[in-house]
Amino acid sequence: MKKVLVLGGYSGIAQAVLDILAQEDTTLYLVGRSEEKLNIVKDHLQSIGNPLVFTKSVDLNSLETHKSLLEEAIHQMKGLDTLFVCYGILPNQKELEQDPSKVVENYFTNAISTIHFVSLASNYFEEKKNGTIAVVTSVAGDRGRKTNYYYGSAKSCLDTFLEGLRHRLFKTNVKVITIKPGVVDTAMTQNIDKKILVAKPEKVARDIVNAINNSKEVVYTPWYWKYIMAFIKALPRNIFYRTEF
Ligand SMILES: NC(=O)c1ccc[n+]([C@@H]2O[C@H](COP(=O)([O-])OP(=O)(O)OC[C@H]3O[C@@H](n4cnc5c(N)ncnc54)[C@H](OP(=O)(O)O)[C@@H]3O)[C@@H](O)[C@H]2O)c1
């Protein structure tokens, strides 16, 4: 992986991934909104390993910052091998149903800003003819469900975008990886009712690093979500609409 740009550098899942990368010979460029949180992660990573770490405080919804952010990361790290996108928000479904003006932030954060940044980065990778783009989407994007279809549809927008980008770059040595976690125990899910099948970020992080190292294309994590979602997708509508999940 070597030179890695991480968007969402202190998200719960990214921190677990970074704990693994810090043990390897990596240069890291961490992006997030809070400079303070970025510095805490940087200090932690340098205490458990020996990575070279740069940080940049940016609100990724400010699309106008993306070009200079990418250029600065490439300049500071003297190159870029892997872009890892791991930020987002989990909106309150009911609030968005009641007040559709709030849908904009959901789609902007969970889809548009990522698509904008990845589009810029993919041109860079395509020109240098190698690199890896790994983006965290979600199993929620696999089928619209009444409990989270705003979040889910933003993630499925990303899935379709990444599938098309992978098609475009197929004949190059640029890898496009879609990572679909199920429910993970991070700040994002602290307020949702988690009864079963909640994964630790460390488990998901091992799957993510493995997917990147082995250039997998679409990865469900933990693995059993692939089969759960295949079942959910296969349910006939007249049965699916009677479910409550
Ligand atoms: N946890 C799950 O169950 C789960 C399941 C499937 C997929 N995912 C996906 O995994 C990714 C990481 O989430 P997580 O679980 O690790 O949650 P998390 O700990 O809550 O991390 C989300 C991060 O996104 C950052 N962020 C939000 N809007 C941003 C913006 N405009 N600019 C820059 N950073 C922004 C937040 O930063 P601030 O603290 O500054 O707001 C936060 O660090 C997300 O894409 C999420 O949708 C999570």
Side-chain angles (χ1 to χ4, degrees), residues 6 9-10 29-39 54-60 62 65 69 72:
V6 182
Y10 50 82
Y29 194 100
L30 312 181
V31 179
R33 285 193 279 213
S34 159
E35 196 175 343
E36 193 188 343
K37 290 185 192 172
L38 287 168
N39 283 330
F54 299 95
T55 62
K56 182 76 178 179
S57 152
V58 169
D59 183 333
L60 288 160
S62 304
T65 64
L69 173 63
E72 197 182 315

Side-chain angles (χ1 to χ4, degrees), residues 10-13 33 59-60 87-88 136-137 151 155 182 184 186 189:
Y10 50 82
S11 71
I13 293 176
R33 285 193 279 213
D59 183 333
L60 288 160
Y87 69 96
V136 179
T137 69
Y151 175 75
K155 292 296 192 179
V184 188
T186 66
T189 56

Side-chain angles (χ1 to χ4, degrees), residues 2-243:
K2 296 174 194 155
K3 296 171 181 172
V4 188
L5 169 56
V6 182
L7 305 187
Y10 50 82
S11 71
I13 293 176
Q15 284 190 56
V17 169
L18 289 165
D19 278 356
I20 299 173
L21 300 188
Q23 316 294 332
E24 299 170 5
D25 180 23
T26 45
T27 303
L28 303 167
Y29 194 100
L30 312 181
V31 179
R33 285 193 279 213
S34 159
E35 196 175 343
E36 193 188 343
K37 290 185 192 172
L38 287 168
N39 283 330
I40 292 171
V41 173
K42 177 180 177 176
D43 291 346
H44 165 73
L45 294 173
Q46 290 179 329
S47 74
I48 61 165
N50 194 26
L52 183 56
V53 185
F54 299 95
T55 62
K56 182 76 178 179
S57 152
V58 169
D59 183 333
L60 288 160
N61 283 351
S62 304
L63 303 188
E64 66 280 5
T65 64
H66 286 188
K67 191 166 180 288
S68 58
L69 173 63
L70 178 64
E71 287 169 354
E72 197 182 315
I74 293 167
H75 175 72
Q76 295 271 20
M77 293 197 287
K78 301 186 174 58
L80 174 63
D81 301 305
T82 301
L83 168 65
F84 177 46
V85 181
C86 192
Y87 69 96
I89 54 170
L90 179 63
N92 182 306
Q93 170 73 25
K94 286 283 170 216
E95 262 177 40
L96 270 55
E97 287 172 18
Q98 297 308 316
D99 181 1
S101 69
K102 293 185 177 164
V103 304
V104 175
E105 191 193 6
N106 170 55
Y107 290 107
F108 213 89
T109 308
N110 287 327
I112 294 170
S113 63
T114 293
I115 288 170
H116 187 265
F117 196 93
V118 171
S119 296
L120 289 171
S122 60
N123 293 339
Y124 165 80
F125 286 127
E126 187 176 36
E127 198 172 315
K128 86 173 180 113
K129 296 188 173 59
N130 65 56
T132 299
I133 298 167
V135 181
V136 179
T137 69
S138 172
V139 295
D142 279 12
R143 189 164 192 180
R145 288 182 293 117
K146 65 179 176 182
T147 51
N148 72 347
Y149 60 80
Y150 289 107
Y151 175 75
S153 58
K155 292 296 192 179
S156 71
C157 175
L158 273 187
D159 287 342
T160 307
F161 166 79
L162 293 168
E163 178 72 352
L165 181 63
R166 190 179 300 115
H167 188 186
R168 169 184 148 197
L169 298 174
F170 180 68
K171 291 179 183 160
T172 72
N173 198 27
V174 182
K175 308 296 178 194
V176 179
I177 300 174
T178 304
I179 297 152
K180 297 185 173 201
V183 186
V184 188
D185 189 12
T186 66
M188 181 173 278
T189 56
Q190 68 183 357
N191 293 326
I192 68 168
D193 191 16
K194 289 173 284 189
K195 291 196 178 88
I196 50 164
L197 298 180
V198 182
K200 290 283 168 211
E202 293 75 15
K203 162 65 186 145
V204 168
R206 282 193 298 276
D207 288 346
I208 292 173
V209 172
N210 182 37
I212 294 173
N213 286 340
N214 294 296
S215 300
K216 296 188 176 168
E217 291 173 340
V218 179
V219 178
Y220 286 81
T221 173
W223 61 270
Y224 44 77
W225 281 100
K226 180 177 176 180
Y227 300 97
I228 295 171
M229 295 318 297
F231 173 75
I232 291 174
K233 282 192 285 184
L235 282 177
R237 287 198 184 93
N238 62 348
I239 297 173
F240 179 64
Y241 295 154
R242 288 177 170 76
T243 65

